[in-house]
Amino acid sequence: MPIVPIPDLDDKRYADLVREAVASLAVRAPAWTDHNASDPGITLVELFAWLAEMQIYGLNCLTPDHYRTFLRLVGIRPVPAVPATVALTLSSTAGRELMIPRGTRLTAETGGEPLPFETTADLFLLNNRIAAVISAWGGGFRNVTDANARDAFFFPAFGEQPAPGGTLLIAFERMLPAGREVRLAIDLYEADLPPVGAHRGEPAAVVPPVDLVWEYSTEAGYRRLDLLEDGTTGLTRSGQILFSVPADMTATTSPYLPATVPAPRFPMIRCRLPEESTAVPLPSEGLSACRRAAARQGTGFYEIPPRIDSIRLNTVTARQAVSVVDENLVSSSGTDWGNGMPGQVVSLARRPAMEGSLRVRVLTGTDWEEWAERDNLDASGPTDRHFVLDPAVGTILFGDGRNGRVLPEGARVRADYLSGGGAAGNLRPLASWRFDDPLLADLAARNDASASGGRDAEPLEEAIARAPLELREVDRAITSDDFEYLALNTPGLRVARARALPLWEPEAPEDRPVPATVTVVVVPWSFTPRPYPGPRFLRAVCDHLDRHRLVTTRVRVIPPLYAQVTVRTRVSAGEGVRPEELRARVAERLLEFLHPLKGGEDGTGWPFGRGVYRSEIIAAIREVSGVECVLETTLSGDTCTRVDGEGNLMIDRDALVYSERHEVDVTARSGRCTVTY
């Protein structure tokens, strides 16, 4: 259904126009009395009626160009084709070490039409392997070399609870060539995580949650290793790191490696957490002891500790696209030069062309001039060197002298662009690959994971259908719901919950509203019972909200205040129920019910600022299979809770409850239920 009803402008036919014109003659030309078809004047009336009918018909016709223009007016464009990308691990059957430059072409044999791919970065192929991978934390360590080599296992980079000094050590079988740039692919296990936030195609401006320290082994110990690239963003996503091998890198031993005689020596690099975490900054005054203690509970490291699926050498990313350089373009008439006529069209040899990749140069005389791409030529002047690309069919339209400059007579056109994209490039793992260059015949490529991200160009009809949905999406933070929606959809982050509190700040007295201020409490997605956002996480959410707030609104983003709750309860077991099993089930139910992300009555997280009532705790315990009767229940909390006269626990408006342990006493079946309140 369209947002606004579209009127039918073509509501008059030829006969209607003639009849209305003849009927008006009695008023406009009373002396004209011969209205027969033989009258020359009536012939002119019929001629102009025919012309008017054609004009009215054109008014009612909307071409695809019209629809594209209307969509651009509201900031919507059909999504172009996107190429699939894949991580390829390379090896040489001859044991060669060589540079594989960016743009090296490979072909994927799919059983149908071969698909061209090309590498997106330089890779120096090493005749080397990873000898060992060690994860160390808190004085302990774990040799995860086998887990790294096997597909069905993953391992924590710094332990389940990252702490200062946590280390990931990577040892290589042979010395790395000094001065060479080495690329290391690190894939994280994220299959059980929710998708990251996204909002209207905005880029994810995510910074590393912690400044990891990379080091390399020398005779004198470890020295700092500066990364040239960090595609993992501090081990928060799968990607590649790139470093240059220092000249003083040497093989050394490690207490984490198996003890043998002689002790094994390997060249190593390691990644470790800094000795001090980054704490959430606190105001100098105005906060209670409870809030200060709660703020110090955040580690400042990771909201979701990194879990590594694999670390691989000799791995490079390839995309399902082909680079075309200095292609001489041919016009629709088959010539490779301009004819000086308005609205000339030239064609690309490969299609589709990826949007944003096209570079056009025109030779006029002895100089090559750069021409700029535009969505259309409506705003282009007679001398503007502009053109319009149709990526699907691979044609380039030049100006007509009124909108855009005419392609001069005799001018030659050259183009650089990327061609490819589409869902066909989403290959399955372990596809069949071959290098196009015969000099690389001894190289083999292997994709352990699927190629992904390939997408066909969006049809115009789908973009039109998508437009009403996007226009309804929240883009301006006005109400509390708007702030919460935008916070939950911060690009690149996994925000589990958000609560907007207008006219309030934690430092202000409860009875004094803070004008023009909205405080947003955010909770990150996490496996821990008390998810706590780090300062850079909070900054990323705040920056996103800042782009969408009203200019008169001040926005603050803060972590939640956590209040610990402990339940002490005594229940009687039903007939045939084992007390130890019932005790475990009741404790598990309480941990789940008092959870900030999956607690509460609806299982979506404990409500912000809502107290804990004994009656609902008793009701939750009664739901446990095997409980005959809840005999006694008391609640206790930390300093962030307040006890009312009936033994219920009250919390602040920005607080959530959590629990770590509960005391459950199970007695034998009593035969009658006497409850102590």
Side-chain angles (χ1 to χ4, degrees):
M1 291 291 293
I3 300 176
V4 178
I6 300 176
D8 182 14
L9 302 180
D10 187 18
D11 58 349
K12 292 184 183 295
R13 299 295 181 263
Y14 167 79
D16 300 328
L17 295 171
V18 172
R19 184 171 53 255
E20 289 181 4
V22 172
S24 68
L25 293 179
V27 177
R28 299 179 182 276
W32 188 349
T33 58
D34 186 1
H35 298 166
N36 296 312
S38 59
D39 185 78
I42 296 300
T43 301
L44 291 176
V45 169
E46 292 173 344
L47 174 63
F48 286 115
W50 177 79
L51 291 173
E53 184 189 27
M54 294 300 101
Q55 291 176 332
I56 294 174
Y57 173 77
L59 286 175
N60 208 50
C61 292
L62 293 178
T63 67
D65 287 340
H66 287 115
Y67 281 110
R68 292 189 183 94
T69 301
F70 297 151
L71 288 173
R72 280 196 296 269
L73 290 175
V74 294
I76 296 173
R77 299 180 60 187
V79 179
V82 178
T85 59
V86 62
L88 296 177
T89 300
L90 309 183
S91 61
S92 169
T93 57
R96 286 199 295 164
E97 292 193 338
L98 71 157
M99 173 61 73
I100 300 175
R102 174 183 179 181
T104 299
R105 295 186 181 179
L106 304 92
T107 298
E109 304 290 353
T110 61
E113 183 179 354
L115 293 176
F117 281 73
E118 69 177 26
T119 59
T120 61
D122 294 337
L123 173 70
F124 187 77
L125 183 63
L126 296 167
N127 184 22
N128 206 336
R129 293 192 307 174
I130 293 177
V133 180
I134 306 294
S135 177
W137 64 90
F141 72 94
R142 179 182 170 193
N143 190 325
V144 292
T145 307
D146 290 340
N148 183 63
R150 300 170 67 178
D151 293 337
F153 296 88
F154 62 88
F155 56 91
F158 309 108
E160 300 294 343
Q161 299 290 335
T167 302
L168 176 67
L169 185 144
I170 305 167
F172 304 96
E173 279 192 353
R174 302 179 183 88
M175 280 299 303
L176 302 175
R180 287 292 186 182
E181 293 182 355
V182 174
R183 192 171 293 276
L184 205 60
I186 303 177
D187 294 327
L188 301 186
Y189 179 78
E190 299 179 312
D192 57 348
L193 300 182
V196 298
H199 183 252
R200 305 197 70 171
E202 296 177 19
V206 181
V207 297
V210 62
D211 294 323
L212 297 176
V213 180
W214 287 88
E215 298 170 321
Y216 66 97
S217 59
T218 70
E219 291 291 352
Y222 283 91
R223 293 181 180 174
R224 187 177 185 88
L225 177 66
D226 294 321
L227 298 184
L228 303 177
E229 296 177 9
D230 183 8
T232 69
T233 316
L235 296 185
T236 59
R237 58 183 177 182
S238 298
Q240 298 174 5
I241 65 168
L242 180 69
F243 63 93
S244 179
V245 179
D248 60 341
M249 184 177 188
T250 59
T252 185
T253 61
S254 171
Y256 302 132
L257 296 176
T260 60
V261 180
R265 297 176 63 87
F266 299 107
M268 305 179 198
I269 63 171
R270 70 180 186 183
C271 173
R272 63 177 178 84
L273 297 171
E275 294 300 328
E276 295 184 1
S277 62
T278 304
V280 176
L282 298 175
S284 57
E285 55 185 18
L287 288 184
S288 64
C290 162
R291 291 187 178 276
R292 290 187 175 277
R296 287 192 292 269
Q297 294 172 356
T299 65
F301 285 138
Y302 288 96
E303 288 74 32
I304 304 176
R307 300 169 299 165
I308 296 179
D309 190 59
S310 66
I311 302 175
R312 291 170 292 159
L313 267 176
N314 297 330
T315 300
V316 67
T317 300
R319 64 185 168 198
Q320 198 266 301
V322 173
S323 298
V324 180
V325 180
D326 287 341
E327 179 182 295
N328 292 314
L329 303 187
V330 179
S331 68
S332 55
S333 61
T335 61
D336 60 353
W337 61 82
N339 57 20
M341 299 297 291
Q344 294 176 72
V345 177
V346 297
S347 301
L348 303 175
R350 289 178 175 267
R351 58 186 67 89
M354 290 174 53
E355 286 194 12
S357 68
L358 180 61
R359 177 189 175 208
V360 170
R361 303 180 304 283
V362 175
L363 178 62
T364 54
T366 59
D367 298 325
W368 288 95
E369 297 177 336
E370 293 274 353
W371 287 50
E373 182 181 352
R374 293 291 185 268
D375 290 333
N376 56 60
L377 300 177
D378 295 345
S380 301
T383 61
D384 291 334
R385 297 193 293 268
H386 296 165
F387 65 88
V388 176
L389 168 69
D390 187 334
V393 298
T395 58
I396 296 175
L397 171 68
F398 291 95
D400 58 6
R402 184 174 182 178
N403 297 104
R405 182 178 174 183
V406 173
L407 185 64
E409 184 176 3
R412 294 183 180 274
V413 183
R414 284 184 179 174
D416 303 337
Y417 60 97
L418 285 172
S419 176
N426 296 328
L427 303 177
R428 294 180 178 180
L430 305 179
S432 177
W433 300 89
R434 61 174 173 82
F435 283 84
D436 293 1
D437 188 347
L439 297 178
L440 303 178
D442 64 313
L443 299 189
R446 173 188 174 97
N447 65 306
D448 293 318
S450 301
S452 61
R455 185 173 53 196
D456 294 327
E458 181 183 34
L460 180 60
E461 294 75 14
E462 293 184 10
I464 294 172
R466 176 169 55 88
L469 301 178
E470 287 211 6
L471 291 176
R472 294 190 188 101
E473 186 175 8
V474 175
D475 191 55
R476 184 63 57 194
I478 299 174
T479 67
S480 294
D481 289 343
D482 296 341
F483 279 97
E484 293 172 5
Y485 176 85
L486 291 168
L488 289 170
N489 291 276
T490 301
L493 297 185
R494 292 182 173 93
V495 181
R497 301 184 63 190
R499 176 70 181 272
L501 301 172
L503 308 178
W504 180 84
E505 285 184 329
E507 302 88 358
E510 284 290 333
D511 59 347
R512 186 178 303 172
V514 183
T517 297
V518 176
T519 298
V520 181
V521 188
V522 295
V523 184
W525 201 96
S526 177
F527 293 106
T528 64
R530 188 176 54 200
Y532 203 88
R536 298 180 183 180
F537 189 98
L538 298 173
R539 170 50 56 188
V541 176
C542 190
D543 289 344
H544 179 60
L545 294 177
D546 189 62
R547 289 191 290 270
H548 298 276
R549 67 175 175 86
L550 297 179
V551 69
T552 55
T553 304
R554 177 172 171 261
V555 180
R556 285 191 60 184
V557 179
I558 64 172
L561 176 68
Y562 281 111
Q564 185 175 5
V565 174
T566 301
V567 177
R568 294 176 176 84
T569 184
R570 186 164 59 90
V571 301
S572 61
E575 185 176 0
V577 178
R578 295 180 178 179
E580 62 275 10
E581 293 182 358
L582 182 59
R583 184 180 297 108
R585 288 201 298 268
V586 171
E588 182 180 358
R589 173 60 180 146
L590 291 173
L591 290 173
E592 182 182 87
F593 187 69
L594 297 171
H595 196 279
L597 298 186
K598 55 185 178 182
E601 295 182 358
D602 57 1
T604 60
W606 192 265
F608 280 94
R610 187 180 182 282
V612 182
Y613 295 88
R614 294 176 61 248
S615 58
E616 61 188 351
I617 295 297
I618 294 172
I621 296 173
R622 283 176 174 171
E623 295 175 357
V624 179
S625 175
V627 173
E628 180 191 53
C629 184
V630 182
L631 301 174
E632 184 178 354
T633 300
T634 59
L635 306 180
S636 62
D638 59 11
T639 57
C640 295
T641 62
R642 302 180 300 277
V643 183
D644 67 5
E646 298 181 355
N648 304 312
L649 299 181
M650 302 293 107
I651 59 177
D652 290 347
R653 65 173 69 184
D654 62 326
L656 292 172
V657 301
Y658 79 101
S659 61
E660 293 183 344
R661 57 180 298 275
H662 301 282
E663 298 180 12
V664 181
D665 183 22
V666 179
T667 64
R669 186 180 184 187
S670 62
R672 60 194 181 102
C673 190
T674 303
V675 183
T676 302
Y677 289 100

